[in-house]
Amino acid sequence: MARIILTGDRPTGRLHIGHYVGSLRRRVELQNSGEFDKIYIMIADAQALTDNADNPEKVRQNIIEVALDYMSAGLDPSRSTLFIQSQISELTELTFYYMDLVTVQRLQRNPTVKQEILLRGFAENNDAGENRPGIPVGFFCYPISQAADITAFKATTVPVGEDQEPMIEQTREIVRKFNSVYAPVLVEPEILLPDNCVCRRLPGTDGKAKMSKSLGNCIYLADSEEEVRKKVMGMYTDPLHVQVSDPGHVEGNTVFTYLDAFCHPGHFAEFWPEYASLDELKDHYRRGGLGDVKIKKFLNSVLQAELAPIRERRKELEKDIPYVYEVLRKGSGQAREVAAQTLSEVKRAMRINYFDADVLASLTAEQSEKYSGR
């Protein structure tokens, strides 16, 4: 069986370093490894519209921002197919068919759906007097749409953050149900989480549980060198580490969490040769005698080293936006051909491919024989 990757992001804004360490960096590594036969990277604009229906221009503008982030981070259009979700109408049709395989109650139990409903301020029950907006049906059916995206390309592997685990499990359930009811057409995907557990859910710069655009606690891949420096120097650390001499806590300290995600031994040789490793730095901080400012300056150096080449590639890409659009147009065309083939197989399994030439010929002969005997 071919090894195929499908993953992507909603274009709700520029991508941040949480996206980068959680999935994007790994996508580039997998692309460059040569281990996979095909890699599909989707800009999920249709899913973004499920809770941005009143601001389609925002989604439209962010498509190019996300494409720039993808390519500047190292995704190569010659090795990965970059495409826009809404341009593949077959995904919508697959979603419609899969809806018959999932109950409302199962969707309501999906932890990711429940979390996102709370995050976006939707009212689960639109009772009288409720000031919050109700849940759009499209948003509620997001897991089914995602299943269509994954199965359309017969993806075997989906590299995502751990918050997407319930979504992948729901896809697997849909695949099993479809293959059982109709025919073994769909492929059951496996989730691929970051090796580094810290990268699975990078906290915001304010120490919140998750880096989020809506909370304003992000460091974006497109941020300037000065913007990154300011955000790092303002990061949440250990509130009990008041004096430099005070023993510090590493656990729950956002600066050290970021170092766990980005730092490697070579950074010490280059930026802070006083220490041989991150463990040695942590031990000193725990004992006391090491100030937060020094550690933040070191983290800034580490992040700048990681982001500088991304920033430079983005500047070059921004000079030729028509090229970026052409990459997306071409990729969308290639993706649609693959999705159309899967949809054809799905409709055949469901016996709703009435006008396929072979089916039509067989059906015509069968019906003719049936009625001629009357």
Side-chain angles (χ1 to χ4, degrees):
M1 179 186 293
R3 301 187 68 195
I4 300 170
I5 284 177
L6 182 284
T7 188
D9 299 279
R10 287 159 39 101
T12 55
R14 291 179 171 183
L15 301 184
H16 53 63
I17 61 174
H19 295 119
Y20 179 68
V21 297
S23 181
L24 182 51
R25 182 168 62 181
R26 186 68 178 278
R27 296 174 201 173
V28 175
E29 293 170 355
L30 293 171
Q31 167 195 266
N32 296 340
S33 72
E35 297 176 12
F36 289 84
D37 299 284
K38 288 293 294 183
I39 297 177
Y40 296 96
I41 310 294
M42 179 181 73
I43 300 179
D45 62 324
Q47 289 173 355
L49 285 167
T50 60
D51 57 327
N52 288 277
D54 59 342
N55 196 357
E57 185 58 30
K58 169 189 171 185
V59 174
R60 182 183 180 87
Q61 294 297 326
N62 284 332
I63 285 173
I64 198 65
E65 295 289 351
V66 172
L68 286 167
D69 284 332
Y70 280 168
M71 296 168 67
S72 62
L75 289 176
D76 182 351
S78 68
R79 289 185 283 179
S80 295
T81 303
L82 279 59
F83 69 96
I84 301 174
Q85 182 188 34
S86 64
Q87 304 307 294
I88 319 300
S89 58
E90 290 78 4
L91 301 179
T92 305
E93 191 169 349
L94 285 172
T95 299
F96 182 78
Y97 297 142
Y98 294 171
M99 285 179 179
D100 296 327
L101 305 176
V102 183
T103 66
V104 171
Q105 291 76 14
R106 177 62 183 92
L107 286 174
Q108 289 173 326
R109 293 198 306 272
N110 188 305
T112 303
V113 172
K114 293 167 71 174
Q115 180 183 5
E116 293 298 323
I117 285 172
L118 291 173
L119 181 64
R120 285 164 173 76
F122 291 133
E124 294 193 58
N125 296 300
N126 234 0
D127 297 330
E130 178 64 75
N131 293 321
R132 293 179 295 160
I135 305 167
V137 173
F139 182 86
F140 184 66
C141 294
Y142 175 83
I144 304 175
S145 172
Q146 190 173 74
D149 300 331
I150 295 168
T151 58
F153 303 97
K154 298 191 175 179
T156 58
T157 306
V158 185
V160 289
E162 67 176 357
D163 61 325
Q164 291 295 304
E165 283 189 275
M167 308 292 264
I168 305 304
E169 180 53 36
Q170 188 128 43
T171 295
R172 291 163 62 87
E173 291 175 12
I174 290 172
V175 168
R176 290 193 290 265
K177 184 69 176 291
F178 183 94
N179 289 348
S180 173
V181 171
Y182 299 113
V185 169
L186 304 180
V187 174
E188 196 169 326
E190 297 291 339
I191 191 172
L192 182 62
L193 296 170
D195 293 331
N196 186 342
C197 293
V198 173
C199 297
R200 296 182 183 182
R201 192 180 291 266
L202 196 69
T205 55
D206 56 359
K208 300 292 184 182
K210 184 179 180 181
M211 186 171 286
S212 167
K213 301 181 187 77
S214 60
L215 296 176
N217 59 3
C218 304
I219 294 176
Y220 295 99
L221 295 178
D223 278 347
S224 67
E225 184 175 349
E226 180 59 19
E227 286 171 330
V228 172
R229 187 194 68 79
K230 285 182 178 179
K231 291 177 180 180
V232 170
M233 298 310 293
M235 283 176 66
Y236 174 85
T237 55
D238 175 10
L240 301 178
H241 189 245
V242 181
Q243 303 292 331
V244 172
S245 58
D246 293 338
H249 297 83
V250 170
E251 294 72 18
N253 188 320
T254 307
V255 175
F256 279 101
T257 301
Y258 279 43
L259 286 173
D260 282 328
F262 286 94
C263 183
H264 59 73
H267 286 134
F268 285 96
E270 184 175 0
F271 303 122
W272 210 352
E274 183 180 341
Y275 299 94
S277 67
L278 185 55
D279 286 338
E280 191 175 306
L281 180 65
K282 288 179 178 179
D283 287 340
H284 189 175
Y285 189 76
R286 290 189 180 103
R287 292 195 307 269
L290 183 58
D292 290 318
V293 171
K294 285 187 176 181
I295 302 171
K296 288 180 178 180
K297 287 182 177 179
F298 175 61
L299 173 60
N300 178 61
S301 297
V302 169
L303 288 180
Q304 299 291 2
E306 184 86 22
L307 297 176
I310 296 175
R311 196 181 292 130
E312 288 306 309
R313 283 194 292 268
R314 186 185 177 97
K315 286 180 181 178
E316 290 303 309
L317 288 166
E318 286 174 343
K319 295 176 182 177
D320 193 1
I321 297 300
Y323 164 71
V324 179
Y325 272 106
E326 178 58 21
V327 165
L328 296 176
R329 188 198 65 77
K330 183 178 179 180
S332 296
Q334 294 170 343
R336 187 167 190 186
E337 289 180 8
V338 176
Q341 177 59 38
T342 300
L343 177 61
S344 176
E345 293 173 18
V346 163
K347 294 175 78 170
R348 176 177 289 271
M350 295 176 69
R351 300 180 62 81
I352 57 174
N353 59 329
Y354 307 114
F355 303 118
D356 283 5
D358 58 334
V359 175
L360 190 60
S362 174
L363 185 63
T364 301
E366 179 183 320
Q367 294 298 322
S368 297
E369 181 177 345
K370 175 181 176 181
Y371 287 108
S372 64
R374 287 189 174 183

